[in-house]
Amino acid sequence: MAAFGTVFMPEMALATFENDQWSETEIVKSDRLQFHPGAHVLHYSSTCFEGLKAFRHADGGVYIFRMDANVKRLAQSTHLLSLPAFDADQLSKMIVDIVGRFSTEVPEPPGSMYIRPTHIGTEASIGKAAAPSSSSLLYVLLSPVGDYFAGGAKPLRLLLEENGMRCAPHMGMVKSGGNYASALGPIADARSKADADQVLFCPNGDVQETGAANFILIDGNEVITKGLDSSFLHGITRDSVLTIARDLGMTVSERDLSVTELLERAGKPGTEAALSGTAAVLTPVGTLIHNGKEYPVGSGEAGKTTLKLRQLLNDIQWGKAEDKHGWLTKV
Ligand SMILES: *Cc1c(COP(=O)(O)O)cnc(C)c1O
């Protein structure tokens, strides 16, 4: 199967902001964009994006999961990057329209159509290192994806990094390209030196998240994860999983978690850890690596509560369980 995110639908929805106004949405070919080599995004990283999914249900209908939350987060990223504000209704319609156009291409579960709204600053001005782009492009790309859990259920190995950070602390809640570029070095080091799958960034001992997913710890009936602040990305999967956990009567503790507490709890039998994100849903973490030492989480195998929460979330996405929180938008 092709690697995640490498297959695209041939068309995308696009709108441009120029001369202080947004254009109508156009449907254009998705294999190229035209803008000046001096475009703001290429020099000063005025770029943000979203990742959400559409699912095919047994009745043949196609449903987008938590679109409103993703549109809201892109609006927030846009604001924090000083990009031109867009109309949430226009973007929602762009998403629904382009998914509708390719609805027959939405894979059956466990596959889905991954949706990638993107907003970039296009003003041709290399003099604007310290000023926002006055023009921008907003587009919605589609990429059908398979099941990246099948056979991939092998629990992850995470390197705990207490010295570096994923991105600048005030940028954590912005889903912006520069943050991923800044995490590449530490992740490459962790892979080559510790055979880790991901880095869990824990600046000064504060357990935050990995390069592109949130971290949750499950200890018996309690789910522990860092409370929302500006230092990390406010995942919508995180929010969905916590909501489902509360529905199950679990205790959800959104609070700071130190590396010391994490390693202590990880050593207890029955403790579980997982990464949450749209692409991977909820992926078990089996091993934590800290200062050259390896700490299995619980048994080191995929946790049963992790798999249960994952299944309950999939059931809602796939139309097999009631959508009682109104998370699905029919295309
Ligand atoms: C996208 C992302 C997540 C997960 O967010 P979801 O809304 O659950 O997909 C977590 N951390 C980072 C850094 C991300 O970019």
Side-chain angles (χ1 to χ4, degrees):
M1 191 194 298
F4 175 83
T6 57
V7 176
F8 297 99
M9 292 293 103
E11 293 172 324
M12 61 181 181
L14 174 128
T16 55
F17 185 84
E18 265 162 24
N19 305 317
D20 291 325
Q21 61 178 22
W22 281 100
S23 69
E24 299 280 309
T25 300
E26 291 175 80
I27 301 296
V28 300
K29 281 199 179 320
S30 65
D31 62 345
R32 70 202 60 210
L33 276 176
Q34 207 166 29
F35 50 84
H36 196 279
H40 199 271
V41 60
L42 300 178
H43 302 266
Y44 309 124
S45 295
S46 47
T47 171
C48 51
F49 67 92
E50 273 308 320
L52 64 164
K53 284 174 171 172
F55 298 91
R56 176 176 304 288
H57 288 189
D59 65 5
V62 168
Y63 296 80
I64 304 172
F65 187 68
R66 303 210 66 178
M67 178 176 74
D68 295 350
N70 284 274
V71 167
K72 205 166 148 195
R73 192 170 65 188
L74 191 68
Q76 174 180 273
S77 294
T78 290
H79 174 68
L80 294 170
L81 291 170
S82 303
L83 277 162
F86 58 82
D87 176 14
D89 291 337
Q90 181 174 12
L91 177 58
S92 302
K93 194 166 181 312
M94 287 167 76
I95 294 170
V96 170
D97 286 355
I98 198 71
V99 173
R101 198 172 175 94
F102 291 100
S103 62
T104 58
E105 309 281 335
V106 176
E108 299 277 342
S112 60
M113 184 67 86
Y114 185 84
I115 307 165
R116 174 53 66 92
T118 307
H119 191 192
I120 60 174
T122 51
E123 186 181 357
S125 171
I126 55 173
K128 282 202 155 178
S133 176
S134 63
S135 60
S136 68
L137 273 179
L138 177 65
Y139 58 90
V140 182
L141 263 178
L142 298 181
S143 176
V145 295
D147 179 13
Y148 289 87
F149 201 59
K154 191 166 144 297
L156 300 177
R157 292 165 54 82
L158 303 188
L159 177 78
L160 308 190
E161 171 60 68
E162 290 187 74
N163 298 317
M165 39 179 95
R166 185 178 76 90
C167 62
H170 68 296
M171 291 297 286
M173 60 197 280
V174 189
K175 213 166 168 74
S176 181
N179 288 348
Y180 304 86
S182 90
L184 289 178
I187 295 170
D189 279 352
R191 288 192 173 141
S192 66
K193 292 183 189 146
D195 190 28
D197 297 299
Q198 293 292 337
V199 173
L200 179 57
F201 290 95
C202 312
N204 301 314
D206 174 37
V207 178
Q208 293 184 336
E209 62 170 333
T210 64
N214 295 126
F215 178 80
I216 68 170
L217 186 70
I218 301 170
D219 188 346
N221 198 44
E222 186 179 11
V223 181
I224 304 167
T225 193
K226 187 170 170 63
L228 299 179
D229 67 20
S230 65
S231 69
F232 75 106
L233 206 282
H234 302 176
I236 293 160
T237 313
R238 169 191 179 282
D239 181 74
S240 306
V241 166
L242 297 186
T243 301
I244 292 169
R246 283 189 194 98
D247 288 350
L248 289 176
M250 295 181 75
T251 302
V252 173
S253 304
E254 294 180 73
R255 60 161 171 87
D256 284 351
L257 174 66
S258 69
V259 166
T260 311
E261 182 185 351
L262 171 60
L263 293 177
E264 249 173 49
R265 285 187 185 255
K268 297 201 296 178
T271 299
E272 304 177 22
L275 295 184
S276 75
T278 295
V281 191
L282 201 56
T283 306
V285 171
T287 307
L288 303 172
I289 307 162
H290 183 245
N291 292 340
K293 246 187 98 180
E294 306 212 353
Y295 300 79
V297 181
S299 65
E301 298 303 316
K304 64 179 197 308
T305 305
T306 301
L307 297 178
K308 177 171 162 189
L309 289 168
R310 179 189 168 88
Q311 189 61 53
L312 290 170
L313 178 57
N314 276 155
D315 285 349
I316 298 171
Q317 293 174 325
W318 298 344
K320 293 181 174 171
E322 187 197 349
D323 174 26
K324 65 178 176 189
H325 298 287
W327 287 341
L328 299 173
T329 301
K330 189 167 200 305
V331 171

